[in-house]
Amino acid sequence: INSLLVFCMSITALVYSPFTKLLYRNTDQIVDKAKNILAYVGLIVVPVSLLIIYFILELYLKVDLEFYFYLIAFVYVYPCYVYGLDIINLFKQHKEKTVVIVLTVGVVLNSLLSTWFLYLGYGIVGALSGSAIAQLVILGLIKLKNDKIN
């Protein structure tokens, strides 16, 4: 299930990676427009992807998950569409160390929260909730760091 969600997250990179060189060369206004477009694209791509995942889980794997699982999955996947270009912008500003620190914080937080929720007996929904919270923290930190340099 997690690999399907990670694949859904990786669609972000497929959307903007061909344009990375252009993002380095364009003005901040153009990059901001691209960020907004990517965020709107995510509002379409993520629900459609989650619907496909739903059918794969229901029909092929015979896994029945509650609707709130998919809501949490949206919170887990969608932030990538919002902060993806901010990471590219931080790289452009030679802030790679900042990106590594923020992502490391996210990994540690994800591990701790997911483990804690599993320990409390929340199962896959708990593990996904820990990941979703970590994604929101990464989103906040990346936006905070990116706003400081702009």
Side-chain angles (χ1 to χ4, degrees):
I1 295 171
N2 189 50
S3 61
L4 291 170
L5 294 173
V6 170
F7 177 74
C8 183
M9 293 166 80
S10 67
I11 294 171
T12 312
L14 291 173
V15 170
Y16 70 74
S17 65
F19 307 105
T20 302
K21 187 187 288 187
L22 293 173
L23 294 171
Y24 274 85
R25 295 179 180 166
N26 279 309
T27 64
D28 289 339
Q29 293 167 332
I30 301 276
V31 173
D32 286 342
K33 285 182 183 179
K35 287 180 198 177
N36 290 336
I37 290 169
L38 189 60
Y40 289 127
V41 165
L43 289 174
I44 297 167
V45 170
V46 175
V48 169
S49 298
L50 290 175
L51 184 63
I52 292 168
I53 290 170
Y54 167 79
F55 285 119
I56 291 170
L57 293 177
E58 286 284 326
L59 301 175
Y60 182 70
L61 298 175
K62 308 291 188 221
V63 175
D64 184 30
L65 296 169
E66 298 293 328
F67 181 73
Y68 62 86
F69 172 86
Y70 296 98
L71 290 176
I72 297 168
F74 180 85
V75 174
Y76 171 59
V77 173
Y78 182 69
C80 293
Y81 289 82
V82 179
Y83 69 67
L85 292 181
D86 287 319
I87 288 177
I88 299 296
N89 192 46
L90 287 169
F91 285 154
K92 180 179 171 182
Q93 304 297 329
H94 306 290
K95 300 289 184 183
E96 297 89 352
K97 187 175 180 180
T98 299
V99 173
V100 169
I101 290 169
V102 168
L103 294 179
T104 301
V105 167
V107 167
V108 171
L109 185 62
N110 182 8
S111 299
L112 291 173
L113 289 174
S114 294
T115 301
W116 180 251
F117 290 144
L118 284 170
Y119 175 78
L120 294 175
Y122 291 109
I124 191 169
V125 172
L128 185 60
S129 296
S131 298
I133 293 168
Q135 279 289 77
L136 292 174
V137 169
I138 291 170
L139 172 64
L141 291 174
I142 290 290
K143 287 292 186 183
L144 180 71
K145 296 296 182 181
N146 202 40
D147 287 346
K148 279 186 179 180
I149 62 170
N150 286 335

